[in-house]
Amino acid sequence: MEIHLNGESRIVAASWTIADLLNELKIENRYCAVERNGDVVPREEHSDCRLKPGDSIEVVTLVGGG
């Protein structure tokens, strides 16, 4: 199915959750924030939040530095 990830189209499995998507992207959920269709998805809900066709997902990661 097709979703929009950070403004770009992406094909993912129909059974995926946000946790599956983050795993595919090699992003640890403790270092990012995820928004689905304009709403922030709390970290503890990533494994239960199933993606749906047309979802707009924004993933923002933390970057360390000095």
Side-chain angles (χ1 to χ4, degrees), residues 37-58:
N37 302 323
D39 295 319
V40 173
V41 179
R43 210 171 276 134
E44 57 273 4
E45 294 179 18
H46 288 180
S47 294
D48 297 324
C49 187
R50 293 229 175 263
L51 297 174
K52 296 179 183 172
D55 272 350
S56 178
I57 306 294
E58 296 290 327

Side-chain angles (χ1 to χ4, degrees), residues 15-25 46-47 50-51:
S15 62
W16 273 18
T17 64
I18 288 177
D20 296 320
L21 178 62
L22 293 177
N23 186 49
E24 175 73 15
L25 298 171
H46 288 180
S47 294
R50 293 229 175 263
L51 297 174

